[in-house]
C-alpha cells in the first residue's frame, strides 16, 4: 500500500528518496471494516482527513423526511477532505461510511502541520493534490448540472465504471439524482 503513496510523492514533489521513506514511515494507515462510519451527520467535526488506498467510501446525508442522498463515492487514490474543522461548534452536515473493507491513510491537522514544517515540499504536494481535486470536482459538478440523468449514467460508465459493481443500485441512483426505477429504465435503454 505504501507504494501508492510513494508514487504520489514522486509525481508531486522533488523530495529525496530518504525523505519520502521517512514520511511514509510516519504516516498512519488504518484498516476499516465494511459499514464503519468515519463521521456521522450531526457529529462534531473531525480534524482527520483520509486518503483511500483500498476500498470504497460513500458520502451522504439524510434529508428531513429521512431520505438518504448520496453525494460522493471515494475509491482508490482519492482523498476525502473534511473542511469543517475550522467551525468547531458546527456539526457535520453529512456522513461518510465504508461500503467495503477499506485501507485508509488517516491524517490529522496537527500531525500534518508538524510534517509540513519538517518537509516543505510535502505541503506543496498536498496543495497541488487539493488543487487538482478541486478542479476535477468543479468540472464534474458543472457537467453534472448540465447533463440529463442518462448522460450522467453514461459518464459513470466512462469515468468510474468500477462503481457499477461496487455500489448498491439505490445508492448509485441517489448519486445520479434519480430513483432506482429510473436508473433501471436508463440501463435497459442503453443495453
Amino acid at each position: 500500500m505504501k507504494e501508492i503513496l510513494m508514487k504520489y510523492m514522486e509525481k508531486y514533489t522533488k523530495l529525496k528518496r530518504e525523505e519520502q521513506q521517512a514520511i511514509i514511515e510516519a504516516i498512519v494507515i488504518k484498516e476499516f471494516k465494511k459499514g464503519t462510519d468515519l463521521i456521522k451527520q450531526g457529529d462534531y467535526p473531525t480534524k482527520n482527513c483520509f486518503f483511500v488506498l483500498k476500498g470504497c467510501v460513500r458520502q451522504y446525508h439524510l434529508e428531513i423526511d429521512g431520505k438518504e442522498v448520496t453525494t460522493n463515492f471515494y475509491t482508490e487514490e482519492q482523498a476525502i477532505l473534511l473542511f469543517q474543522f475550522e467551525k468547531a461548534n458546527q456539526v457535520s452536515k453529512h456522513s461518510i461510511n465504508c461500503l467495503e473493507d477499506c485501507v485508509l491513510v488517516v491524517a490529522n491537522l496537527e500531525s500534518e502541520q508538524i510534517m509540513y514544517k519538517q518537509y516543505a515540499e510535502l505541503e506543496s504536494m498536498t496543495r497541488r493534490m487539493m488543487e487538482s481535486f478541486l478542479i476535477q470536482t468543479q468540472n464534474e459538478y458543472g457537467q453534472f448540472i448540465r447533463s440529463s440523468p442518462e448522460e450522467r449514467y453514461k459518464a459513470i460508465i466512462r469515468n468510474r465504471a468500477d462503481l457499477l459493481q461496487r455500489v448498491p443500485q439505490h445508492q448509485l441512483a441517489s448519486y445520479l439524482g434519480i430513483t432506482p426505477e429510473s436508473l433501471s429504465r436508463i440501463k435497459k435503454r442503453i443495453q
Side-chain angles (χ1 to χ4, degrees), residues 3-162:
E3 55 275 353
I4 294 170
L5 298 172
M6 191 70 84
K7 178 179 98 174
Y8 268 85
M9 282 191 270
E10 289 170 358
K11 180 178 179 179
Y12 290 105
T13 72
K14 295 178 177 114
L15 288 165
K16 296 176 188 157
R17 189 82 169 156
E18 311 82 59
E19 292 172 317
Q20 291 177 5
Q21 200 62 44
I23 290 167
I24 286 175
E25 293 307 316
I27 287 175
V28 176
I29 298 175
K30 291 186 178 180
E31 294 183 15
F32 295 89
K33 292 286 183 197
K34 178 180 178 176
T36 300
D37 291 313
L38 302 176
I39 190 168
K40 286 186 174 184
Q41 183 175 340
D43 284 352
Y44 284 99
T46 178
K47 291 188 178 187
N48 289 339
C49 58
F50 306 91
F51 184 81
V52 182
L53 295 173
K54 181 178 176 238
C56 183
V57 177
R58 175 174 77 122
Q59 178 178 316
Y60 68 97
H61 68 270
L62 292 174
E63 294 187 339
I64 294 171
D65 62 3
K67 178 182 170 190
E68 284 187 6
V69 177
T70 300
T71 52
N72 211 342
F73 295 103
Y74 302 94
T75 55
E76 288 77 11
E77 299 185 31
Q78 290 186 313
I80 304 169
L81 307 170
L82 306 173
F83 291 110
Q84 291 181 309
F85 54 78
E86 292 184 8
K87 299 178 181 178
N89 60 346
Q90 183 179 349
V91 296
S92 177
K93 292 180 174 27
H94 56 266
S95 297
I96 298 179
N97 177 268
C98 297
L99 289 180
E100 301 172 343
D101 289 343
C102 293
V103 179
L104 308 175
V105 171
V106 181
N108 66 50
L109 188 60
E110 291 85 18
S111 65
E112 280 187 8
Q113 294 304 320
I114 292 167
M115 289 182 79
Y116 291 160
K117 286 179 183 171
Q118 191 172 359
Y119 305 102
E121 189 67 26
L122 182 62
E123 185 172 19
S124 296
M125 178 191 90
T126 303
R127 181 184 45 78
R128 285 190 288 274
M129 285 176 64
M130 289 177 69
E131 287 170 352
S132 177
F133 173 78
L134 181 60
I135 290 167
Q136 178 185 349
T137 300
Q138 286 176 328
N139 290 338
E140 287 174 358
Y141 182 71
Q143 186 64 38
F144 183 87
I145 294 297
R146 293 187 305 269
S147 300
S148 70
E150 187 166 322
E151 290 168 332
R152 292 175 196 159
Y153 181 71
K154 288 178 179 177
I156 291 286
I157 293 171
R158 276 191 314 275
N159 304 322
R160 300 193 71 189
D162 63 311

